[in-house]
Amino acid sequence: MSDTPSNILPTADWQERIATLAMPVRGHLAARARHAPLFAHAYAFHLNMRFGGMTPLHLAEFARAQRLSGVKIHVEDGEQASLAAMSDIALSAFGAQIERLGLDLHVETSTTEAHGLSDAVRIALATGATSLRCYPRYEGRISQIIDWTIADLRRLTEFDPQGRLRYTLEQHEDLKSEELIRILEAVGNPRLGLLFDFGNMVNAHELPMSALEAQGPYISEVHVKDCLLQPDRGGWAHLACLSDEGHLPMRAMLVELLLLGTSRPQVTAFGLEEEEGYFAPALRFPAEEPDPFIAARPASFTDIGTGDLATRLEREAVAAHRQVDIIRAMLDEIAAEAERTER
């Protein structure tokens, strides 16, 4: 049998999973689904922020209009209007605008190297952000990448001595779950957790539900998206698509993520990261050597294509609005199923 998404992805029956839960747990699940902290993510407007003049403040206004809990924004989103391009005074003013809108701010960067990480911490603190996401983008053997990342993340206490920020390390297509956990345990920073992305594990040749199970005790934030799995040199690439039109068991993943945490929800932010058209190749393979080499790679981006720019930017904006509705509908489905007393 050839490897296709339908035969490598185990069936994940989210309704049956809910049916196995004790009634009090189902009650907690319903409440969490109805009050899940949804965040606008700048990558849902990646092309608009690169080519359409969209700014971080526009993203915040979108989040406010959609009644979301906050915004997740990369330090470089928005080109000349990005956080990285702002003065400290402008960063403080932006943070004040976020506060006036009643939103929480999470900042993201695509490195763990000292210079980039320390600058991202500076930006996050200047804006009054509460969280900073990072991930390594090194070229080298996996063992080297792990060692370098541990050394990098041990410096977080130096960059943020008062412990004002929470931090997340994202699985970003190269490291496997157990390697991420090894990094976290070696760093030993109680303010550092994992950010679980719905699709990035497939590039590291892991499956969504097994990766979620492995990372579960450490997950504090999430990127929500859908994608199509594509065979790639014996491994798997992913092509991001509209939510609920891909191969990922989105409802089953949402159920498990909402169940994390006992007295309070463990996941503090679900970033709505619609990425239609984003492509990421396979980076790990089933027959790879014990300590494989990861080649240098650029930061993530989506190709603008060759069609009409205005049409493409409008399509992206429509997709971002649509994802908010789709994820809310999924959460309503989960809540309704958890509230059923008979099956």
Side-chain angles (χ1 to χ4, degrees), residues 87-338:
S87 66
D88 286 347
I89 293 174
L91 289 169
S92 179
F94 176 67
Q97 291 170 314
I98 291 289
E99 185 175 6
R100 281 196 293 272
L101 291 170
L103 300 169
D104 191 7
L105 174 62
H106 291 185
V107 171
E108 302 194 346
T109 188
S110 298
T111 185
T112 62
E113 293 185 68
H115 175 73
L117 188 59
S118 63
D119 196 52
V121 170
R122 175 191 65 81
I123 290 169
L125 292 174
T127 58
T130 59
S131 174
L132 175 64
R133 177 221 71 167
C134 61
Y135 66 87
R137 209 169 73 241
Y138 284 115
E139 176 178 75
R141 298 286 177 185
I142 288 294
S143 60
Q144 294 175 308
I145 294 172
I146 290 172
D147 289 344
W148 293 332
T149 305
I150 290 169
D152 290 341
L153 296 179
R154 282 176 172 164
R155 299 192 66 180
L156 287 173
T157 53
E158 172 188 337
F159 302 147
D160 179 20
Q162 295 180 328
R164 291 165 58 189
L165 292 169
R166 299 188 309 274
Y167 299 93
T168 55
L169 175 66
E170 181 180 359
Q171 182 174 37
H172 213 281
E173 302 159 2
D174 56 348
L175 297 180
K176 293 182 179 290
S177 297
E178 63 90 8
E179 293 159 352
L180 295 169
I181 293 167
R182 195 188 320 167
I183 291 169
L184 255 63
E185 292 181 342
V187 173
N189 186 333
R191 302 187 69 80
L192 176 65
L194 291 181
L195 188 148
F196 180 82
D197 182 279
F198 270 34
N200 285 355
M201 76 293 292
V202 302
N203 306 83
H205 210 261
E206 293 189 310
L207 298 179
M209 297 304 291
S210 56
L212 197 164
E213 181 179 8
Q215 295 179 39
Y218 306 88
I219 296 170
S220 57
E221 299 178 23
V222 175
H223 284 169
V224 180
K225 68 183 185 191
D226 203 353
C227 69
L228 300 166
L229 278 65
Q230 299 186 338
D232 181 15
R233 295 163 291 142
W236 288 94
H238 87 248
L239 176 64
C241 63
L242 295 176
S243 290
D244 212 23
E245 294 187 5
H247 294 136
L248 301 183
M250 297 186 73
R251 291 167 182 78
M253 286 194 282
L254 286 169
V255 167
E256 297 303 330
L257 289 162
L258 290 166
L259 287 171
L260 293 175
T262 51
S263 59
R264 66 180 64 182
Q266 184 174 306
V267 176
T268 59
F270 292 85
L272 302 181
E273 195 183 34
E274 198 78 326
E275 296 183 2
E276 184 188 11
Y278 170 80
F279 177 80
L283 292 175
R284 304 291 292 273
F285 304 92
E288 67 187 13
E289 58 185 298
D291 191 13
F293 181 82
I294 302 296
R297 58 198 171 111
S300 307
F301 74 99
T302 297
D303 190 357
I304 189 65
T306 58
D308 180 70
L309 176 60
T311 300
R312 181 66 182 93
L313 298 182
E314 175 62 19
R315 190 177 89 198
E316 181 185 62
V318 168
H321 283 80
R322 174 187 176 276
Q323 191 193 25
V324 175
D325 295 336
I326 289 291
I327 299 306
R328 280 196 168 129
M330 288 184 183
L331 292 169
D332 285 344
E333 287 180 70
I334 291 168
E337 189 69 22

Side-chain angles (χ1 to χ4, degrees), residues 17-94:
R17 168 67 166 134
I18 292 174
T20 67
L21 301 173
M23 286 302 296
V25 178
R26 288 168 62 176
H28 289 310
L29 175 61
R32 291 179 182 185
R34 295 202 185 281
H35 299 94
L38 302 181
F39 279 54
H41 197 293
Y43 207 97
F45 293 96
H46 177 67
L47 299 177
N48 277 273
M49 298 194 85
R50 286 177 64 199
F51 304 108
M54 187 173 181
T55 68
L57 183 57
H58 291 144
L59 179 70
E61 291 168 344
F62 165 80
R64 174 65 175 174
Q66 296 295 315
R67 298 174 289 107
L68 303 177
S69 298
V71 294
K72 288 180 170 289
I73 187 164
H74 195 283
V75 293
E76 296 179 358
D77 283 325
E79 305 298 313
Q80 67 272 16
S82 69
L83 301 182
M86 292 183 188
S87 66
D88 286 347
I89 293 174
L91 289 169
S92 179
F94 176 67

